[in-house]
Amino acid sequence: MAEKEKIILEVRVPRENEYTPESATALFSGFSKTLSGQSLINRLRKKEPEPVILEIACYQQMIRFHAVVSETTQSFFESQLLAAYPLAVIQALPDYLTNWEKEKLSVGQMVQSTTYYYPLKTYKDFTDIDPLSSILAVMSKAGKEDKFLIQFIL
């Protein structure tokens, strides 16, 4: 079976916003209901569920938020995102990874040692601090030639 074309979307949210962790909870719960439950027909056809890939990328000394989706899930993703973040601006991009030099690339992977229902922490544990702040702080110190990419595959 041929691989479906993926679309890269850049998501921009105003810096000064009043979004709470509950907004992200609503967004991810909408994804989990749709992405995890496969119909009986799709299981019989051995059709794999289509993942949604969320990325935090840093290049050209700017931190960007991207989503990689298939054409069939693009409208669903955009509607879920705009429902949770009404002021978000979504724009399609060309593949930005083709310009990255592969000979200077370092790759790592983090995998949970226990099953998914044992979370590292829940958003209720982060009442005073943004859980992404430590990652974004490191990315904000990037030089002109530095490139970072963090992917979350749902």
Side-chain angles (χ1 to χ4, degrees):
M1 181 187 298
E3 185 158 332
K4 295 183 180 179
E5 187 68 27
K6 300 289 185 192
I7 298 168
I8 300 173
L9 302 172
E10 182 175 31
V11 179
R12 293 181 182 226
V13 179
R15 283 187 190 263
E16 293 78 32
N17 62 60
E18 297 296 322
Y19 297 123
T20 62
E22 285 77 17
S23 300
T25 302
L27 178 67
F28 288 118
S29 68
F31 289 154
S32 67
K33 290 175 186 170
T34 304
L35 297 174
S36 64
Q38 251 193 320
S39 70
L40 177 62
I41 294 171
N42 285 341
R43 284 187 285 178
L44 291 173
R45 291 181 181 165
K46 297 184 179 178
K47 183 179 176 186
E48 293 291 322
E50 296 180 22
V52 172
I53 302 169
L54 303 177
E55 300 178 340
I56 304 172
C58 180
Y59 53 96
Q60 300 170 344
Q61 293 184 305
M62 289 183 61
I63 298 172
R64 297 170 169 92
F65 296 91
H66 297 143
V68 182
V69 296
S70 66
E71 291 180 50
T72 57
T73 58
Q74 180 181 3
S75 61
F76 168 74
F77 173 80
E78 290 178 354
S79 65
Q80 290 292 309
L81 185 74
L82 291 173
Y85 299 96
L87 298 177
V89 176
I90 304 169
Q91 172 184 339
L93 294 177
D95 189 357
Y96 60 93
L97 292 176
T98 55
N99 300 343
W100 290 24
E101 297 177 33
K102 289 163 184 54
E103 59 272 356
K104 295 182 181 179
L105 193 62
S106 297
V107 177
Q109 180 178 4
M110 288 178 45
V111 179
Q112 284 186 279
S113 60
T114 58
T115 56
Y116 67 90
Y117 47 82
Y118 294 117
L120 300 172
K121 280 192 177 183
T122 65
Y123 75 88
K124 294 175 185 174
D125 297 328
F126 293 103
T127 56
D128 297 332
I129 189 166
D130 181 0
L132 289 178
S133 63
S134 58
I135 294 171
L136 297 177
V138 170
M139 290 180 140
S140 69
K141 306 289 187 221
K144 287 185 179 185
E145 298 300 319
D146 293 334
K147 296 175 173 85
F148 296 92
L149 176 65
I150 299 172
Q151 289 185 324
F152 300 95
I153 302 174
L154 307 179

